[in-house]
Amino acid sequence: VPAEVRAAAARRALIGRPARPAYHRRVSATPFPNQPSPFADVNLFDLDVALREAVAHGRAMWAREALSSWGATLGAAQTYALADAANAHAPELRTYDRSGTRIDDITFHPAWDALMQLAMARGEHCSAWRSPQPAAEAARAASCYLHAQVENGTQCPLTMTYASVPVLRRHAPHEAETWLSRIFDDRYDPRSLPVAQKRSALLGMGMTERQGGSDVRANLTRAAPDAGGAWRITGHKWFFSAPQSDAHLILAQTDGGLSCFLMPRIVPDGRRNNIRVNRLKDKLGNRSNASAEVEFDGALAWPVGAPGRGIATILEMVQHTRLDCVVASAGTIRAALTAALHHARSRVTFGRALVLHPLMANVLADLALESEASLQLAMMLARAGESDANDAQRAVARLVAPAAKYWVCKRAVMATAEAMEVLGGNGYVEENVLPRLYREAPVNSIWEGSGNVVCLDIRRALRREPEAAVALLDRLADARGANRRYDDAVGRLGSLLRDAAHDEAPARRVAQAIALTVSGAQMIECAPPAVADAYCASRFDDDTFGGAAFGTLPDVTRAPLILDRALS
């Protein structure tokens, strides 16, 4: 047995799962020969060596039993069926009731409610805040990563609710007392009631308008003072995420400048707020979730943060939603990989399992490296958000978060398309999960700042906080000495960072370089040497940072080890 395989077996023993031979084929009865069985009734946590090791590395082993239980729930055939149903039956807008009263209700398929109930019981919307403890963020990120492998639409309101908590605590302490007690409840409650009468509450956000898009300083929506510290909002939002939420954080112009407000869907006396849902967006993907275009006609709201500081206030929320964009995209890549690898192990072509053909093994191993690197990058960001993270970790994250959001979310689109090709024509039909994953993949790249927006955020951070670049290079230096290609890449990144603050044109190259080098450091420190070396050999060459098509690994001999690790 090669030394690398023995080392992999030893690593598995440490995390509690016995090794098995590479390319083990799951054989089960199917109606027709050579047709792989569905990838279902599996434990998504127990099958994921890299995730279990990342949880251990992030000091979140206390959550292992709960994560394993969640992995079994999500991997059940019944849960996959709920995900399919929720996306096949999109939410519908009910503008009026039978008496002609304007209600603007959003109705969901029962599968949506079932999935929301499962995820809220897991605490995805609040666990890190409700039960602060070491590695709470890492444990929550692992939970979200598993969820993303099955259904992404339900993650949207959960993510925004999670991201709203630090904003409410810091900038709206009077409102926070009422809202947080409901946010921290894990009983899903879709009823349209004032927050004081609800068991639990979910929050959304609304920033963009039709005339400005990402340029929120061009917003036209206005806020005027009302009685008792409240304000009245008049205007619109072009994208109003999860309009069924109990409240939204929104931006509106005041005499003091663009400001942030908390706008409830139902006002305290039980009446519906003056929020008119004009339509639900007909989106490419994320179809289980509702996104709306709305008008405000003197809608009641309460200020959050200082007047004129709306962008700075709501960006505190965006920093957390960006983390979840990375986590969810990494989960999407993982889901595409497992679908492709399960198929290739079970499908026989030209006399042997598809996975045994060298060219296919190269593609799958490359996808497996992308999946693990994306996971490692997401978990690194989660650790930087822990309550005990030091200043250097937080400074590094201010550069890495937008870079990871840029890179991982874009790679999810490529990865799902490549995985679809592994299945051929079967991968392109709707009975398979890959078309839904493919449609879902772009949303995280677009939502809360598309590629150019987040790349410019990196440039601004470099100009405002030059010490962040120093902290990043210091962090990357910790992994030097183990791989020549990585060491050379860190040197090239240093040169890029020195020029990045002064020139906008190469901003995408800078973002890609940051994401890849940090991923390389994480792989060197957390993955077996053979896996880390394969990643560095394929992502760093003598002149550029990687980004070629999948299936171009320079050395395919380690593919069996990589793939056995990818899906145990």
Side-chain angles (χ1 to χ4, degrees):
V1 179
E4 290 171 351
V5 176
R6 291 201 305 272
R11 289 169 67 85
R12 286 202 184 156
L14 288 175
I15 57 174
R17 186 174 177 85
R20 59 167 181 74
Y23 297 139
H24 172 75
R25 291 179 56 201
R26 301 174 188 277
V27 180
S28 60
T30 56
F32 297 98
N34 204 26
Q35 283 291 329
S37 60
F39 184 73
D41 289 326
V42 294
N43 188 312
L44 298 179
F45 181 76
D46 290 354
L47 288 176
D48 195 335
V49 176
L51 177 59
R52 300 200 313 273
E53 291 183 353
V55 167
H57 185 76
R59 300 176 293 119
M61 285 297 285
W62 54 265
R64 176 175 170 171
E65 184 176 342
L67 288 169
S68 180
S69 174
W70 185 224
T73 297
L74 288 166
Q78 180 181 0
T79 310
Y80 281 115
L82 289 173
D84 289 339
N87 283 273
H89 303 279
E92 297 180 355
L93 171 63
R94 291 182 60 235
T95 308
Y96 299 94
D97 67 10
R98 63 182 181 178
S99 66
T101 302
R102 184 91 187 229
I103 57 173
D104 292 299
D105 262 352
I106 316 295
T107 59
F108 290 84
H109 189 270
W112 167 275
D113 293 325
L115 290 166
M116 287 294 295
Q117 193 169 22
L118 288 173
M120 287 189 67
R122 274 289 309 148
E124 279 191 28
H125 62 301
C126 68
S127 60
W129 311 121
R130 182 181 62 192
S131 305
Q133 57 185 305
E137 292 287 353
R140 180 190 171 274
S143 179
C144 294
Y145 174 77
L146 291 168
H147 184 169
Q149 295 174 43
V150 179
E151 210 289 308
N152 298 114
T154 43
Q155 291 190 287
C156 180
L158 300 171
T159 284
M160 291 187 295
T161 303
Y162 155 77
S164 72
V165 171
V167 176
L168 293 176
R169 278 178 166 169
R170 180 175 176 182
H171 298 289
H174 297 297
E175 285 74 27
E177 183 176 351
T178 298
W179 285 93
L180 293 185
S181 64
R182 271 65 179 185
I183 289 173
F184 289 170
D185 198 296
D186 58 12
R187 297 169 296 174
Y188 175 57
D189 184 358
R191 297 176 299 167
S192 297
L193 294 171
V195 65
Q197 298 176 32
K198 300 240 352 202
R199 291 189 297 268
S200 63
L202 295 170
L203 267 69
M205 63 194 308
M207 293 190 291
T208 60
E209 298 183 5
R210 62 176 68 90
Q211 76 285 343
S214 297
D215 183 9
V216 295
R217 293 188 186 278
N219 281 7
L220 299 177
T221 296
R222 294 289 305 181
D226 197 53
W231 290 63
R232 293 286 178 175
I233 312 293
T234 301
H236 80 283
K237 293 299 169 189
W238 189 235
F239 273 92
F240 201 57
S241 299
Q244 73 277 10
S245 298
D246 297 287
H248 286 74
L249 289 178
I250 65 108
L251 295 177
Q253 299 285 0
T254 68
D255 291 343
L258 194 62
S259 303
C260 183
F261 294 88
L262 175 68
M263 178 183 290
R265 185 160 60 94
I266 308 296
V267 296
D269 65 8
R271 292 179 295 111
R272 296 172 185 271
N273 209 350
N274 294 330
I275 304 169
R276 304 290 181 247
V277 181
N278 292 338
R279 61 171 173 162
L280 298 184
K281 299 290 190 177
D282 187 8
K283 298 171 293 185
L284 169 69
N286 203 248
R287 298 189 69 84
S288 67
N289 181 43
S291 300
E293 180 182 333
V294 299
E295 300 279 346
F296 306 136
D297 183 14
L300 198 64
W302 281 264
V304 177
R309 296 285 296 166
I311 294 177
T313 300
I314 210 162
L315 279 180
E316 294 184 38
M317 185 176 180
V318 169
Q319 293 306 314
H320 293 283
T321 60
R322 282 185 179 172
L323 166 64
D324 277 17
C325 285
V326 178
V327 172
S329 293
T332 299
I333 295 172
R334 171 69 184 174
L337 167 67
T338 54
L341 184 50
H342 172 73
H343 174 87
R345 283 177 174 168
S346 305
R347 180 81 165 170
V348 175
T349 62
F350 306 104
R352 56 179 169 173
L354 181 58
V355 74
L356 294 175
H357 293 271
L359 189 55
M360 181 57 73
N362 196 314
V363 171
L364 291 167
D366 209 352
L367 283 169
L369 292 173
E370 191 73 26
S371 177
E372 181 162 352
S374 299
L375 166 65
Q376 296 289 1
L377 193 55
M379 294 298 283
M380 175 262 186
L381 287 174
R383 289 194 294 272
E386 303 285 6
S387 59
D388 60 351
N390 59 41
D391 290 342
Q393 287 175 296
R394 296 183 190 280
V396 169
R398 284 192 283 276
L399 292 177
V400 176
K405 203 267 189 188
Y406 168 81
W407 181 246
V408 176
C409 296
K410 288 189 179 300
R411 294 294 278 178
V413 180
M414 286 189 65
T416 50
E418 195 69 62
M420 200 181 296
E421 285 195 36
V422 174
L423 277 68
N426 277 355
Y428 197 68
V429 297
E430 291 293 341
E431 287 84 357
N432 193 287
V433 71
L434 284 165
R436 174 157 62 82
L437 292 177
Y438 182 65
R439 289 193 302 272
E440 196 76 41
V443 69
N444 288 319
S445 190
I446 294 170
W447 189 52
E448 301 310 330
S450 54
N452 286 350
V453 172
V454 293
C455 289
L456 292 174
D457 284 349
I458 295 171
R459 182 169 178 258
R460 278 190 289 271
L462 288 169
R463 296 177 70 175
R464 294 173 181 172
E465 301 180 70
E467 64 274 12
V470 176
L472 174 60
L473 293 174
D474 287 345
R475 165 67 187 90
L476 295 174
D478 293 340
R480 297 189 78 161
N483 185 283
R484 177 189 61 80
R485 290 183 178 88
Y486 169 80
D487 293 350
D488 292 344
V490 173
R492 296 198 303 275
L493 176 63
S495 299
L496 278 175
L497 292 177
R498 282 191 291 273
D499 300 330
H502 308 292
D503 187 4
E504 178 180 312
R508 285 189 169 218
R509 179 174 170 80
V510 172
Q512 179 173 324
I514 291 172
L516 286 168
T517 48
V518 174
S519 297
Q522 291 295 116
M523 293 290 276
I524 288 170
E525 294 174 351
C526 302
V531 175
D533 288 347
Y535 181 82
C536 293
S538 57
R539 272 57 178 179
F540 309 125
D541 62 28
D542 292 336
D543 300 312
T544 62
F545 290 93
F550 290 110
T552 56
L553 297 179
D555 179 7
V556 77
T557 60
R558 289 180 171 139
L561 174 67
I562 295 169
L563 294 177
D564 189 50
R565 175 178 174 80
L567 188 59
S568 58

